[in-house]
Amino acid sequence: MKIRRLPDPASLAVLHEPSNQWISLRAALAAHPKLKSLTHLQSNLLALLAAGEQSRAKIVDVVDQAAGEGIGIATDPPPAIPYYPSSLRCFLGWEEHWINAAHGLVQRNLPISRPVIRTYERLTRKVFPLLRPGAAFYDHPVYYTGNHLTVIGDGEPMPWPSYTGELDFELEFGMIIAHPVRDATPEKAAAAIGGFVVFNDFSARDVQWDEQRRGVFGPVVKTKTFGSSIGSVVVTADEVLPKIDQLTASVRVNGELWSSTGTHGLRYHPGEVVAYASQSENLHSGELITSGTLPSGCGLELDRWIRPGDEVTLAIDGIGSVTNTVAEPG
């Protein structure tokens, strides 16, 4: 099921996939008074994601009928943030991204070291040790806690932080927790995921280099906390989890294709990721857990850089997309 929010009146819309039409859930349910028990789902995304199979099947039937009768059709609904996360945990999902990004940081900030690195990698056919993720990444999922209060929606402008000259995007997916868990097994943790959304983890790369070398808490403070964005469309987990490592993805800037990539090579399954986050800790409905950047999913890896006024669109097939225009520094 694909879900988005309609602005007025406040309602969720569900995609009727055979006709590719968005149907207002409020309007569809209003036409079926006998389904009054489901009206609490018409504007509550988290409740809809947590609804059981029987309730969701009824929603699908109602949407089918509404589409057939021309009820509640929302033509070209504007982009809108689907919900506001109650917390944000950002994981590292792909070793390839880390290695590519580390090479990019060194190339931009310490070019004198490049001959040594190239020689080592050519002779050993291995990645230079300091450019690999830390050892913990190979033992268990790793993450940092981001700023959920600066998450913006699809279509909103992303302010350029006044303290950076190197703003970057990061193509990720987000997982919305729908069921509370604690000390969960990977299987139970996977079942706690209600939906998926495209996520853009904007980053200040020059600040990252400084925080990584001289900071106390690592390169995830002012580098990351100023802003991120999520797409308008949320896709229920049953449509995404079975193919989580088979999705294709892309980056476009001002309509130009900058990168074609995908989710293949994900180090840990989403169930393992959520299970790790839940160790001796309660996870609540509404928390957002992100995947980390897909390989070749950021400008640092591509050595291509966005500027004020650029329109950045990140897309993952089977989930959706998020588009933001970069505002002027200020």
Side-chain angles (χ1 to χ4, degrees), residues 188-208:
K188 188 173 181 179
I193 302 170
F196 285 77
V197 66
V198 178
F199 183 79
N200 188 342
D201 188 16
F202 283 93
S203 303
R205 295 303 187 192
D206 45 356
V207 178
Q208 180 177 6

Side-chain angles (χ1 to χ4, degrees), residues 63 128 287:
V63 168
F128 194 75
E287 300 196 56

Side-chain angles (χ1 to χ4, degrees), residues 96-106 205 208 298 300-301:
E96 183 181 348
H97 157 70
W98 179 277
I99 292 171
N100 290 343
H103 278 87
L105 279 174
V106 169
R205 295 303 187 192
Q208 180 177 6
C298 67
L300 179 60
E301 293 178 81

Side-chain angles (χ1 to χ4, degrees), residues 158 160 253-254 306-312 324-329:
M158 171 54 65
W160 187 297
V253 178
N254 300 325
I306 54 176
R307 296 289 180 261
D310 284 347
E311 182 185 77
V312 181
N324 302 96
T325 298
V326 181
E328 295 288 336

Side-chain angles (χ1 to χ4, degrees), residues 23-45:
I23 305 297
S24 166
L25 195 51
R26 182 185 298 276
L29 287 171
H32 294 81
K34 291 183 179 180
L35 295 178
K36 197 172 183 180
S37 62
L38 299 179
T39 55
H40 68 290
L41 303 179
Q42 65 191 11
S43 60
N44 189 328
L45 174 70

Side-chain angles (χ1 to χ4, degrees), residues 153-158 160 167-171 198-202 229 250-256 258 297-299 304-315 321-327:
D154 188 19
E156 296 185 49
M158 171 54 65
W160 187 297
L167 185 63
D168 199 4
F169 55 85
E170 291 190 347
L171 168 58
V198 178
F199 183 79
N200 188 342
D201 188 16
F202 283 93
S229 65
S250 64
V251 173
R252 292 184 183 273
V253 178
N254 300 325
E256 178 188 356
W258 276 24
C298 67
R304 300 190 71 173
W305 297 89
I306 54 176
R307 296 289 180 261
D310 284 347
E311 182 185 77
V312 181
T313 299
L314 310 182
S321 65
V322 60
T323 298
N324 302 96
T325 298
V326 181

